[in-house]
Amino acid sequence: MSEKKDPSVWEGFKAFLMRGNVVDLAVAVVIGAAFTNIVNSVVKGIINPLVGAFGTKNLDNYTSCLEAPCAVAKDGTVTGIQIAWGSVLGATLTFVITAAVVYFLMVLPMAKYLARQEARRKAKEGTHEVIEVTELEVLKEIRDALVAQRGSGHDRE
């Protein structure tokens, strides 16, 4: 009896890398990392100044005090319990802007492209079916005509 050898971890990892999805994922990570700089610049250059019209330009400066006294000493130590909701707001804005740009510039056009391709494929299949049915009908008519000719030719003899 021969035992079937399970693939090694290395062989499984190699197969995983060769699937192609890993390459796509790596490209997406690199583009995402580069894109993050653009989004951060938009938040710091446009969003923060707009927010700064109502307060400070740095969203990280927006905090609330949960337990008094909330103060930051010159050496950076914080007394009390502060909630830094401004940094959460900045991160949320960055995420929303990133998601919107990815959706409107990548996902939506790709979905429309795939829908057009699918519509073309269905239209192409539909025309083939009509042509095949039409050709089949024509061939049946030719067959029937030939059968009728043969039948009439035999009656003359």
Side-chain angles (χ1 to χ4, degrees):
M1 236 191 223
S2 66
E3 288 184 26
K4 188 175 181 181
K5 187 178 178 184
D6 290 334
S8 70
V9 174
W10 176 250
E11 289 171 351
F13 182 68
K14 188 170 134 185
F16 170 72
L17 289 177
M18 294 306 190
R19 270 191 222 152
N21 296 344
V22 175
V23 175
D24 294 340
L25 182 62
V27 169
V29 168
V30 170
I31 289 174
F35 187 68
T36 300
N37 292 331
I38 295 170
V39 172
N40 287 336
S41 297
V42 168
V43 170
K44 289 179 183 173
I46 296 171
I47 304 296
N48 287 354
L50 290 174
V51 172
F54 304 104
T56 180
K57 287 185 180 179
N58 188 358
L59 291 176
D60 294 338
N61 291 338
Y62 288 102
T63 61
S64 295
C65 188
L66 191 61
E67 184 177 312
C70 287
V72 179
K74 289 182 181 180
D75 64 351
T77 58
V78 178
T79 58
I81 299 175
Q82 279 189 333
I83 297 176
W85 59 270
S87 60
V88 174
L89 178 63
T92 303
L93 286 172
T94 301
F95 172 77
V96 169
I97 292 170
T98 304
V101 169
V102 167
Y103 180 75
F104 289 112
L105 293 182
M106 295 177 191
V107 174
L108 193 60
M110 182 58 81
K112 287 182 179 181
Y113 171 75
L114 292 175
R116 277 194 310 254
Q117 292 296 97
E118 184 66 19
R120 284 182 187 155
R121 186 186 64 77
K122 285 184 178 179
K124 193 174 182 183
E125 286 177 0
T127 57
H128 285 310
E129 289 174 10
V130 171
I131 290 171
E132 289 174 7
V133 170
T134 305
E135 287 176 1
L136 184 60
E137 289 175 359
V138 169
L139 289 172
K140 285 181 181 178
E141 289 176 11
I142 292 171
R143 180 200 62 199
D144 292 342
L146 288 172
V147 168
Q149 261 184 351
R150 282 185 188 159
S152 64
H154 290 291
D155 290 343
R156 288 184 193 166
E157 291 179 3

PDB file of all heavy atoms in Angstrom, residues 47-57 62:
ATOM      1  N   ILE A  47      -9.403  70.114   3.698  1.00  0.00           N
ATOM      2  CA  ILE A  47     -10.393  69.850   4.755  1.00  0.00           C
ATOM      3  C   ILE A  47     -10.024  70.564   6.043  1.00  0.00           C
ATOM      4  O   ILE A  47     -10.864  71.245   6.653  1.00  0.00           O
ATOM      5  CB  ILE A  47     -10.536  68.333   5.003  1.00  0.00           C
ATOM      6  CG1 ILE A  47     -10.895  67.593   3.714  1.00  0.00           C
ATOM      7  CG2 ILE A  47     -11.551  68.060   6.104  1.00  0.00           C
ATOM      8  CD1 ILE A  47     -12.229  67.940   3.118  1.00  0.00           C
ATOM      9  N   ASN A  48      -8.779  70.427   6.482  1.00  0.00           N
ATOM     10  CA  ASN A  48      -8.372  71.070   7.740  1.00  0.00           C
ATOM     11  C   ASN A  48      -8.531  72.592   7.698  1.00  0.00           C
ATOM     12  O   ASN A  48      -9.029  73.174   8.659  1.00  0.00           O
ATOM     13  CB  ASN A  48      -6.946  70.679   8.113  1.00  0.00           C
ATOM     14  CG  ASN A  48      -6.854  69.253   8.615  1.00  0.00           C
ATOM     15  OD1 ASN A  48      -7.854  68.575   8.797  1.00  0.00           O
ATOM     16  ND2 ASN A  48      -5.643  68.792   8.824  1.00  0.00           N
ATOM     17  N   PRO A  49      -8.138  73.277   6.621  1.00  0.00           N
ATOM     18  CA  PRO A  49      -8.386  74.725   6.585  1.00  0.00           C
ATOM     19  C   PRO A  49      -9.880  75.076   6.622  1.00  0.00           C
ATOM     20  O   PRO A  49     -10.263  76.084   7.222  1.00  0.00           O
ATOM     21  CB  PRO A  49      -7.745  75.178   5.275  1.00  0.00           C
ATOM     22  CG  PRO A  49      -6.679  74.180   5.023  1.00  0.00           C
ATOM     23  CD  PRO A  49      -7.237  72.881   5.533  1.00  0.00           C
ATOM     24  N   LEU A  50     -10.718  74.253   5.971  1.00  0.00           N
ATOM     25  CA  LEU A  50     -12.152  74.499   6.052  1.00  0.00           C
ATOM     26  C   LEU A  50     -12.657  74.354   7.481  1.00  0.00           C
ATOM     27  O   LEU A  50     -13.459  75.162   7.959  1.00  0.00           O
ATOM     28  CB  LEU A  50     -12.921  73.551   5.125  1.00  0.00           C
ATOM     29  CG  LEU A  50     -12.757  73.792   3.628  1.00  0.00           C
ATOM     30  CD1 LEU A  50     -13.459  72.698   2.835  1.00  0.00           C
ATOM     31  CD2 LEU A  50     -13.297  75.162   3.240  1.00  0.00           C
ATOM     32  N   VAL A  51     -12.187  73.322   8.160  1.00  0.00           N
ATOM     33  CA  VAL A  51     -12.546  73.146   9.567  1.00  0.00           C
ATOM     34  C   VAL A  51     -11.927  74.275  10.393  1.00  0.00           C
ATOM     35  O   VAL A  51     -12.531  74.774  11.348  1.00  0.00           O
ATOM     36  CB  VAL A  51     -12.086  71.765  10.079  1.00  0.00           C
ATOM     37  CG1 VAL A  51     -12.273  71.636  11.574  1.00  0.00           C
ATOM     38  CG2 VAL A  51     -12.841  70.656   9.361  1.00  0.00           C
ATOM     39  N   GLY A  52     -10.730  74.705   9.978  1.00  0.00           N
ATOM     40  CA  GLY A  52     -10.045  75.781  10.692  1.00  0.00           C
ATOM     41  C   GLY A  52     -10.789  77.108  10.629  1.00  0.00           C
ATOM     42  O   GLY A  52     -10.563  77.986  11.459  1.00  0.00           O
ATOM     43  N   ALA A  53     -11.675  77.249   9.676  1.00  0.00           N
ATOM     44  CA  ALA A  53     -12.486  78.470   9.618  1.00  0.00           C
ATOM     45  C   ALA A  53     -13.391  78.574  10.837  1.00  0.00           C
ATOM     46  O   ALA A  53     -13.790  79.663  11.228  1.00  0.00           O
ATOM     47  CB  ALA A  53     -13.320  78.483   8.339  1.00  0.00           C
ATOM     48  N   PHE A  54     -13.687  77.444  11.453  1.00  0.00           N
ATOM     49  CA  PHE A  54     -14.545  77.422  12.646  1.00  0.00           C
ATOM     50  C   PHE A  54     -13.751  77.207  13.925  1.00  0.00           C
ATOM     51  O   PHE A  54     -14.306  77.268  15.011  1.00  0.00           O
ATOM     52  CB  PHE A  54     -15.593  76.308  12.532  1.00  0.00           C
ATOM     53  CG  PHE A  54     -16.428  76.430  11.298  1.00  0.00           C
ATOM     54  CD1 PHE A  54     -16.207  75.591  10.216  1.00  0.00           C
ATOM     55  CD2 PHE A  54     -17.421  77.384  11.201  1.00  0.00           C
ATOM     56  CE1 PHE A  54     -16.974  75.693   9.069  1.00  0.00           C
ATOM     57  CE2 PHE A  54     -18.192  77.503  10.061  1.00  0.00           C
ATOM     58  CZ  PHE A  54     -17.965  76.656   8.994  1.00  0.00           C
ATOM     59  N   GLY A  55     -12.478  76.907  13.830  1.00  0.00           N
ATOM     60  CA  GLY A  55     -11.663  76.620  15.007  1.00  0.00           C
ATOM     61  C   GLY A  55     -10.209  76.525  14.621  1.00  0.00           C
ATOM     62  O   GLY A  55      -9.705  77.343  13.872  1.00  0.00           O
ATOM     63  N   THR A  56      -9.566  75.496  15.079  1.00  0.00           N
ATOM     64  CA  THR A  56      -8.152  75.293  14.789  1.00  0.00           C
ATOM     65  C   THR A  56      -7.984  74.475  13.498  1.00  0.00           C
ATOM     66  O   THR A  56      -8.842  73.676  13.152  1.00  0.00           O
ATOM     67  CB  THR A  56      -7.443  74.594  15.960  1.00  0.00           C
ATOM     68  OG1 THR A  56      -6.073  74.411  15.621  1.00  0.00           O
ATOM     69  CG2 THR A  56      -8.040  73.245  16.267  1.00  0.00           C
ATOM     70  N   LYS A  57      -6.870  74.693  12.794  1.00  0.00           N
ATOM     71  CA  LYS A  57      -6.636  73.990  11.532  1.00  0.00           C
ATOM     72  C   LYS A  57      -6.204  72.540  11.744  1.00  0.00           C
ATOM     73  O   LYS A  57      -6.326  71.723  10.852  1.00  0.00           O
ATOM     74  CB  LYS A  57      -5.569  74.713  10.710  1.00  0.00           C
ATOM     75  CG  LYS A  57      -6.061  75.992  10.106  1.00  0.00           C
ATOM     76  CD  LYS A  57      -5.013  76.599   9.217  1.00  0.00           C
ATOM     77  CE  LYS A  57      -5.534  77.896   8.610  1.00  0.00           C
ATOM     78  NZ  LYS A  57      -4.547  78.526   7.764  1.00  0.00           N
ATOM     79  N   TYR A  62      -8.611  69.027  18.620  1.00  0.00           N
ATOM     80  CA  TYR A  62      -9.965  68.940  19.162  1.00  0.00           C
ATOM     81  C   TYR A  62     -10.041  67.785  20.152  1.00  0.00           C
ATOM     82  O   TYR A  62      -9.878  66.630  19.793  1.00  0.00           O
ATOM     83  CB  TYR A  62     -10.983  68.737  18.036  1.00  0.00           C
ATOM     84  CG  TYR A  62     -11.191  69.957  17.193  1.00  0.00           C
ATOM     85  CD1 TYR A  62     -10.602  70.063  15.942  1.00  0.00           C
ATOM     86  CD2 TYR A  62     -11.971  71.008  17.651  1.00  0.00           C
ATOM     87  CE1 TYR A  62     -10.785  71.185  15.163  1.00  0.00           C
ATOM     88  CE2 TYR A  62     -12.154  72.140  16.882  1.00  0.00           C
ATOM     89  CZ  TYR A  62     -11.558  72.218  15.645  1.00  0.00           C
ATOM     90  OH  TYR A  62     -11.744  73.340  14.885  1.00  0.00           O
TER      91      TYR A  62
END
